[in-house]
């Protein structure tokens, strides 16, 4: 299951209440993972690096758009990514290249959520690693997403061909070790 009600803890709670087994994260892990603002805050506490961001609440944006734009521009240079904090699949996500694109991007994200993330644009590779298990977690082989568009937006994910998923990702041994160390750092502190 995917998206709202599928990966936000809702169906997991229903399955728990019904006493039905399922595979994947439970209620708390799903809810945290779906809220990008909460996820980033918890990762920071665990000393796992995250892309700098500002959280904007829809009511703040609607009541004081100039103040919000100024706050964003004081913290980040353009371009910035704007996205609903509680959705996935890049729904409602925009790469705003200028002040003229920022307001429409915030308006679009506000159509989908009451909490919006504005992130610094970082030019980087997108490496994905799944971690499975509770007491003895295991990391998957890393994969890399290579979008055919400017970024991996909804169209690149679902509507168009051309993006590539490279498994395994071509990583240097030191890069792989660093990724694995990030995984273990938090786990060891929490036990």
């Amino acid at each position: 299951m995917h998206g709202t009600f599928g990966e936000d803890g809702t169906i997991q709670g229903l399955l728990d209440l019904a006493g039905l087994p399922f595979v994947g994260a439970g209620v708390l892990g799903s809810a945290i993972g779906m809220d990008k603002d909460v996820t980033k805050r918890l990762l920071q506490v665990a000393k796992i690096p995250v892309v700098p961001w500002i959280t904007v609440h829809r009511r703040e944006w609607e009541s004081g758009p100039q103040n919000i734009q100024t706050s964003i521009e004081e913290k980040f240079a353009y371009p910035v990514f704007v996205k609903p904090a509680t959705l996935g699949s890049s729904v409602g996500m925009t790469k705003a290249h200028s002040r003229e694109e920022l307001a429409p991007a915030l308006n679009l994200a506000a159509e989908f959520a009451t909490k919006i993330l504005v992130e610094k644009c970082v030019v980087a590779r997108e490496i994905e690693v799944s971690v499975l298990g509770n007491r003895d977690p295991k990391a998957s082989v890393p994969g890399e997403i290579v979008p055919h568009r400017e970024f991996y937006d909804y169209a690149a994910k679902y509507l168009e061909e051309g993006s590539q998923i490279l498994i395994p990702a071509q990583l240097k041994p030191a890069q792989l070790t660093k990724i694995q160390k990030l995984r273990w750092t938090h786990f060891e502190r929490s036990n």
Side-chain angles (χ1 to χ4, degrees):
M1 299 185 73
H2 200 56
T4 306
F5 306 123
E7 58 184 329
D8 63 0
T10 306
I11 192 70
Q12 292 80 1
L14 178 66
L15 293 170
D16 277 347
L17 284 170
L20 297 172
F22 59 93
V23 175
V27 175
L28 181 61
S30 296
I32 290 169
M34 194 67 156
D35 188 319
K36 295 169 193 65
D37 176 52
V38 172
T39 298
K40 284 176 171 275
R41 291 173 191 274
L42 291 174
L43 290 172
Q44 280 186 322
V45 169
K47 308 244 185 284
I48 295 175
V50 296
V51 173
W53 85 100
I54 294 174
T55 301
V56 176
H57 293 275
R58 181 169 56 201
R59 64 180 154 62
E60 296 168 342
W61 166 242
E62 291 171 347
S63 65
Q66 291 297 338
N67 293 337
I68 296 299
Q69 284 185 303
T70 300
S71 295
I72 292 167
E73 291 173 337
E74 285 174 355
K75 183 157 183 170
F76 304 128
Y78 288 103
V80 295
F81 282 99
V82 181
K83 60 182 88 169
T86 55
L87 279 182
S89 298
S90 301
V91 172
M93 181 175 171
T94 306
K95 185 175 183 181
H97 299 86
S98 64
R99 176 174 261 263
E100 293 74 33
E101 293 180 4
L102 183 59
L106 287 159
N107 287 332
L108 176 64
E111 288 180 28
F112 296 97
T114 59
K115 190 163 49 167
I116 303 161
L117 243 61
V118 180
E119 294 176 316
K120 175 182 178 179
C121 179
V122 175
V123 177
R125 295 168 65 192
E126 186 168 341
I127 307 295
E128 297 188 334
V129 178
S130 295
V131 179
L132 299 174
N134 294 322
R135 294 285 175 212
D136 187 24
K138 303 281 188 244
S140 70
V141 171
E144 179 173 6
I145 296 173
V146 182
H148 71 284
R149 298 170 64 87
E150 184 178 12
F151 68 97
Y152 200 46
D153 64 0
Y154 186 87
K157 289 178 182 182
Y158 303 109
L159 304 177
E160 302 171 354
E161 294 183 21
S163 294
Q164 297 177 335
I165 300 176
L166 307 176
I167 302 172
Q170 298 301 307
L171 297 169
K172 296 176 183 168
Q175 292 170 316
L176 183 56
T177 300
K178 184 174 183 176
I179 290 168
Q180 289 172 333
K181 184 178 184 239
L182 287 174
R183 172 180 71 83
W184 285 110
T185 302
H186 172 67
F187 180 74
E188 288 171 350
R189 264 202 298 270
S190 65
N191 284 321

